Amino acid sequence: MKKLLLITGALLMHSSFAAQQNQIVNKHRITFSQLDTNADGFLSKDEVRGPLLANFDKLDSEGNGTLSQDEFNDAVNLGRQ
């Protein structure tokens, strides 16, 4: 009986922690338009930071030195996986 209570408690704590983590991630999610500070419809290296900047050349599938909305969406989807 004690084991069952301990396992149940651990599972509840874990699911609560996971939900809290998800809220934090969603709260800090930034959109393409927020990053596109010059509103030209593309992201340059000057407009991004963090993982986007570190992987910019890999994410720039067209090799034109910018990230399109589609390339940005692909990067976001990769990050979710």
Side-chain angles (χ1 to χ4, degrees):
M1 183 69 162
K2 286 184 182 181
K3 281 185 180 182
L4 179 62
L5 288 174
L6 287 173
I7 291 171
T8 303
L11 288 173
L12 288 173
M13 286 177 36
H14 176 70
S15 63
S16 175
F17 177 74
Q20 187 179 33
Q21 287 282 39
N22 196 28
Q23 288 174 349
I24 290 169
V25 168
N26 288 336
K27 180 179 169 185
H28 295 289
R29 195 165 283 155
I30 193 161
T31 65
F32 182 88
S33 59
Q34 289 172 315
L35 291 172
D36 186 17
T37 56
N38 63 2
D40 66 350
F42 296 93
L43 300 178
S44 66
K45 286 186 178 182
D46 295 335
E47 294 172 303
V48 298
R49 58 190 179 278
L52 274 179
L53 182 57
N55 297 296
F56 193 91
D57 293 329
K58 293 176 193 171
L59 299 170
D60 180 15
S61 61
E62 297 171 2
N64 60 2
T66 63
L67 296 180
S68 66
Q69 176 80 52
D70 288 339
E71 290 169 322
F72 175 80
N73 290 341
D74 290 345
V76 169
N77 290 333
L78 279 174
R80 288 181 183 164
Q81 294 176 353

